Amino acid sequence: MATPTAAFSLHLRVRLENTPGSLGRLAVAIGDAGGNITQLEGFDVRGEYLDEDIVVNCISEAHQEKVKAAISGLDGVEITTCRDRTFEMHEGGKIEVLARMPIRDADDLSMAYTPGVARVCMAIHENRERSRDLTIRKNTVAIVSDGTAVLGLGDIGPHAAMPVMEGKALLFKNFAGVDAFPVCIDTTDTEEIIATVERLAPTFGGVNLEDIA
């Protein structure tokens, strides 16, 4: 039998009757269904009931349903909320842009933006190579994909490829300190992909072509 993993984990809020053995019966039911409890969060006692947050690792989406059915089949037990932790992690995306420099007052604003920024623009205009030191280019990579060869999923298109490319951006940042941004493009034409990358070049210090058939 496959091993339950966090990739198919559930975060359950369960309401039980506040009686001896109720939590034990819940744990046994989850175990008998093949689920693996990895977290138990504090009890919230509400008179004759108690609420408990439980994280359960499962094997597949079908197995998640089996575990939920096992819990729902218990007398005196109710699932009040159920969240898939993998989908929960992806809600709103996994990356964001953060400011490196604080804007504390008008002086900071005048240097970061107008009028001071014009001096930096002109310095780059006179020597294009300075863009690598005076902008984010030095440490920024574009992760470009058309979504035609994504992991073991195959051709799923650029929209569905975004979560994987966001994940790769996380790897760049967490393991190498490199800022990366996913760029999923809606074309499978080789020449169009090349042209798109060429047009993106002024913004990024490097381009990672990813999962392109």
Side-chain angles (χ1 to χ4, degrees):
M1 184 177 180
T3 301
T5 71
F8 293 98
S9 59
L10 296 172
H11 185 178
L12 300 158
R13 180 78 165 174
V14 180
R15 174 161 291 178
L16 307 92
E17 291 181 350
N18 189 12
T19 57
S22 60
L23 181 59
R25 289 192 296 273
L26 173 63
V28 169
I30 292 172
D32 286 347
N36 184 30
I37 298 173
T38 60
Q39 290 182 42
L40 282 173
E41 299 180 6
F43 292 107
D44 183 9
V45 180
R46 297 179 180 274
E48 61 186 45
Y49 297 103
L50 59 87
D51 291 341
E52 174 71 17
D53 284 301
I54 303 175
V55 173
V56 181
N57 284 1
C58 300
I59 296 168
S60 64
E61 290 183 359
H63 188 221
Q64 289 177 331
E65 295 302 318
K66 179 180 178 181
V67 169
K68 288 191 289 183
I71 296 171
S72 298
L74 293 172
D75 291 335
V77 178
E78 175 190 0
I79 298 174
T80 56
T81 62
C82 177
R83 301 193 299 273
D84 186 309
R85 293 176 69 233
T86 295
F87 277 85
E88 196 171 35
M89 174 182 280
H90 286 256
E91 287 179 4
K94 301 187 293 295
I95 60 175
E96 64 179 346
V97 176
L98 298 175
R100 291 183 62 242
M101 301 298 169
I103 303 297
R104 295 162 296 199
D105 51 35
D107 286 348
D108 287 343
L109 183 60
S110 71
M111 291 186 289
Y113 196 52
T114 189
V117 71
R119 297 178 55 221
V120 180
C121 291
M122 292 311 297
I124 296 171
H125 177 67
E126 293 168 6
N127 180 1
R128 187 179 297 178
E129 289 303 310
R130 296 199 69 186
S131 70
R132 292 188 177 274
D133 296 319
L134 296 174
T135 72
I136 62 172
R137 287 192 70 205
K138 178 170 66 175
N139 196 51
T140 305
V141 171
I143 303 173
V144 177
S145 180
D146 62 358
T148 55
V150 179
L151 293 176
L153 302 174
D155 185 356
I156 59 174
H159 293 85
M162 273 293 290
V164 173
M165 303 310 137
E166 286 185 6
K168 292 181 185 296
L170 276 180
L171 298 182
F172 268 100
K173 187 64 175 180
N174 283 300
F175 296 119
V178 174
D179 295 314
F181 200 85
V183 180
C184 292
I185 54 179
D186 194 10
T187 181
T188 59
D189 182 271
T190 301
E191 294 304 318
E192 288 187 2
I193 293 172
I194 293 171
T196 299
V197 170
E198 288 177 339
R199 293 186 177 104
L200 289 172
T203 302
F204 298 96
V207 175
N208 176 34
L209 298 178
E210 192 69 44
D211 294 345
I212 298 175

